[in-house]
Amino acid sequence: QQKVQQSPESLIVPEGGMASLNCTSSDRNVDYFWWYRQHSGKSPKMLMSIFSNGEKEEGRFTVHLNKASLHTSLHIRDSQPSDSALYLCAASGTGGYKVVFGSGTRLLVSP
Amino acid sequence: DMKVTQMPRYLIKRMGENVLLECGQDMSHETMYWYRQDPGLGLQLIYISYDVDSNSEGDIPKGYRVSRKKREHFSLILDSAKTNQTSVYFCASSLPTDAEQFFGPGTRLTVL
């Protein structure tokens, strides 16, 4: 059964700092990665997706993907207290391959 | 307005009672999901539905069953609920199975 491992489990960064979150899949059939953000008491919402090797930037958020190592990372620059949330990584493959979520990284941005 | 709805939002049941959780979506998505979320365990897939009457077990289907008779509606049924089924349940929908998932607000179920 495919597993998605996220690290660290929790992370505290100062306001204005850089947060770096990691995610690795154990299954070579994986082709797609997503990052979801879940604020406390709310439902997950897709933040960014990445399907090709390399980097993708959207505002303060940057995602990297290395398909050879099945590793993706999410970097948040100029972190804000509103970025405090649970960040979930998800991975899936083509042809109806089920999406698997990691257990998440809990980010706290301290003012 | 793209939306996934869940009813009820909160539910308290006694052990052994039957539970029905309902989910609706207005995006005509073929694929729908039921997850449960427990502290420290992320989202665990219970069942996935590829379309009407086309359902498949997820990673933790034991103790649950589902029903999808209309594309926009997906139900999760717990026959004879157990205390270890206390959790937050999320429904989600997407186009193909490798696309972005849209989540409902969740149902907090407590089984006493």
Side-chain angles (χ1 to χ4, degrees), chain A residues 98, chain B residues 45-48 50 55-62 64:
Chain A
K98 293 172 190 169
Chain B
L45 180 65
I46 305 171
Y47 268 93
I48 182 171
Y50 299 102
N55 306 318
S56 180
E57 293 181 347
D59 299 319
I60 53 162
K62 189 177 178 182
Y64 304 94

Side-chain angles (χ1 to χ4, degrees), chain B residues 93-105:
Chain B
S93 72
S94 71
L95 282 167
T97 55
D98 52 3
E100 175 187 356
Q101 294 185 32
F102 294 83
F103 284 82

Side-chain angles (χ1 to χ4, degrees), chain B residues 30 32 48-56 68 74:
Chain B
E30 299 102 329
M32 296 186 75
I48 182 171
S49 174
Y50 299 102
D51 211 328
V52 171
D53 285 329
S54 179
N55 306 318
S56 180
R68 191 163 179 207
F74 191 31

Side-chain angles (χ1 to χ4, degrees), chain A residues 6 48 50 75-76 87 94 96:
Chain A
Q6 290 188 245
M48 291 185 74
I50 188 162
H75 306 272
I76 307 171
Y87 288 79
T94 54

